[in-house]
Amino acid sequence: METETITADEFRATAAEIEAQVGRVIVGQSELVRHTLVTLLAGGNALLEGVPGLGKTMLVRTLAQAVDCSFARIQFTPDLMPADIVGTNLIVEDEQGRRQFQFEPGPIFANLVLADEINRATPKTQSAMLEAMQEHSVTVAKVTRRLPEPFFVLATQNPLEMEGTYPLPEAQLDRFFFKIDVPFPSVEDLVEIANRTTTTSTPAASPAADGEKIRAMQALARGVPIASHVTAFAARVLKATHPQDPESPAIVRDYVRYGASPRGMQAMILAGKILALLDGRYNVAFDDIRAAAVPALRHRLILNFEAQAEGITTDALIGEILKAVVPEKTA
């Protein structure tokens, strides 16, 4: 099926309207909304982390309304099984009384999938999401089935210090395009939340795009040109997350066990292309790479015990890396 085309101006206008519709329901949190939209337009998956009650679930539901796509919610619990996510084969009987297997799709077969409190499920169940997130397909009984496009997983997790949580495996964390921290609202935002949610009227988002428009926006974003020295800057930032790299700052060599994978560089570049379009530009700047670095890399750095003991965060490390890696001058 041929994807419709879209101009850069239409891209920017549609993205602004999606953000405006989400803003009718979600109070404040402009950076959270922007990073979530960037992930959707990149065709990636987002991991949201924050304490319960900050509107993470409402954000995904509202985004599904704004882009007019099918929505499914999977509540992860310790007893959730992989078949509860991807689906299973059932024995059914036809009109002639013959029995045969029939595939019953699971909730993963939707455009926008909310994996709520994903770190409350066991690692076996979490791993059921890997193929879906990376390949946009699931395999059940040796049969591979494609998932609908666009396909977007937005997973929420509670801080690991909370009771009843399991840390996500590094391989699964790497499948997330962005990890987005959900900050606690300000007093002004809390007042507005109270005003919107304690009255008889409930705000709702209206469709600002559909699945075909999102796919067209994804295709346009990938076509944005990027200069070779900007790509090289993203590669050097990624290399500097590895403690054995000569360009890595001392704090990385002291506190990082493993650096980010190449998927981190891909996320920075693709997010940089989308941020450029949202800013009205059709080329990627160094600042676009810098703006994407923290959400693209924060979940891909594995810290050592000393960092955990001293309270060193990945965000602080990435900040030091961005100071240390200076863009090369072009002729």
Side-chain angles (χ1 to χ4, degrees):
M1 187 172 65
E2 190 173 341
T3 302
E4 68 174 89
T5 57
I6 189 173
T7 66
D9 289 339
E10 290 173 329
F11 180 101
R12 189 180 182 191
T14 302
E17 181 59 22
I18 292 173
E19 289 184 325
Q21 290 299 327
V22 173
R24 294 178 59 184
V25 179
I26 303 298
V27 177
Q29 307 284 26
S30 58
E31 185 176 272
L32 167 64
V33 174
R34 171 60 61 91
H35 285 167
T36 305
L37 180 60
V38 167
T39 306
L40 172 64
L41 297 178
N45 309 290
L47 177 64
L48 270 62
E49 180 173 291
V51 298
L54 296 185
K56 301 185 292 294
T57 303
M58 181 62 70
L59 170 63
V60 193
R61 192 181 297 275
T62 305
L63 185 62
Q65 294 172 347
V67 300
D68 195 22
C69 288
S70 60
F71 168 78
R73 173 179 175 172
I74 306 172
Q75 185 64 51
F76 280 70
T77 56
D79 60 347
L80 190 73
M81 299 299 291
D84 298 327
I85 298 173
V86 301
T88 187
N89 284 319
L90 301 177
I91 298 177
V92 297
E93 194 172 285
D94 60 17
E95 296 176 354
Q96 286 75 36
R98 292 173 298 188
R99 294 182 177 182
Q100 58 186 3
F101 283 108
Q102 178 177 300
F103 178 69
E104 183 66 27
I108 197 73
F109 284 84
N111 295 120
L112 269 69
V113 177
L114 170 62
D116 209 7
E117 297 185 310
I118 190 172
N119 60 334
R120 289 199 180 278
T122 61
K124 177 181 179 181
T125 301
Q126 291 172 4
S127 66
M129 301 289 292
L130 286 176
E131 182 186 2
M133 292 168 60
Q134 182 65 29
E135 308 294 339
H136 292 194
S137 64
V138 296
T139 302
V140 179
K142 300 182 180 180
V143 177
T144 299
R145 292 175 171 84
R146 297 293 302 173
L147 295 169
E149 295 288 351
F151 178 73
F152 174 58
V153 172
L154 199 153
T156 70
Q157 73 171 6
N158 298 321
L160 293 178
E161 296 77 16
M162 299 190 71
E163 186 177 352
T165 60
Y166 300 84
L168 295 178
E170 287 82 358
Q172 186 171 1
L173 281 173
D174 200 31
R175 260 64 171 194
F176 287 104
F177 185 85
F178 271 4
K179 180 187 177 187
I180 308 167
D181 286 344
V182 184
F184 200 84
S186 64
V187 172
E188 293 78 9
D189 288 343
L190 287 170
V191 170
E192 181 60 24
I193 290 170
N195 291 336
R196 292 191 190 185
T197 58
T198 58
T199 59
T200 55
S201 60
T202 302
S206 300
D210 56 17
E212 277 303 302
K213 179 66 70 68
I214 295 298
R215 291 179 66 190
M217 295 172 76
Q218 291 173 344
L220 177 69
R222 288 184 171 272
V224 172
I226 179 170
S228 58
H229 59 280
V230 180
T231 300
F233 174 67
R236 289 171 57 219
V237 168
L238 182 87
K239 284 276 288 178
T241 66
H242 292 257
Q244 66 272 22
D245 188 78
E247 202 171 4
S248 65
I251 192 172
V252 171
R253 294 194 291 271
D254 290 341
Y255 295 117
V256 174
R257 206 166 88 207
Y258 300 111
S261 76
R263 285 194 184 99
M265 179 187 64
Q266 294 167 342
M268 284 189 288
I269 291 174
L270 192 49
K273 293 183 175 187
I274 295 168
L275 291 172
L277 284 173
L278 294 177
D279 195 40
R281 292 176 286 108
Y282 202 64
N283 64 289
V284 183
F286 292 122
D287 283 344
D288 297 321
I289 302 297
R290 294 189 183 99
V294 172
L297 299 177
R298 60 161 51 118
H299 55 300
R300 293 184 163 99
L301 297 185
I302 309 300
L303 305 184
N304 58 25
F305 175 76
E306 288 79 6
Q308 298 172 33
E310 297 185 27
I312 303 295
T313 65
T314 54
D315 288 18
L317 288 167
I318 296 166
E320 292 300 317
I321 291 169
L322 293 176
K323 291 177 186 176
V325 180
V326 180
E328 295 177 350
K329 294 181 180 179
T330 56

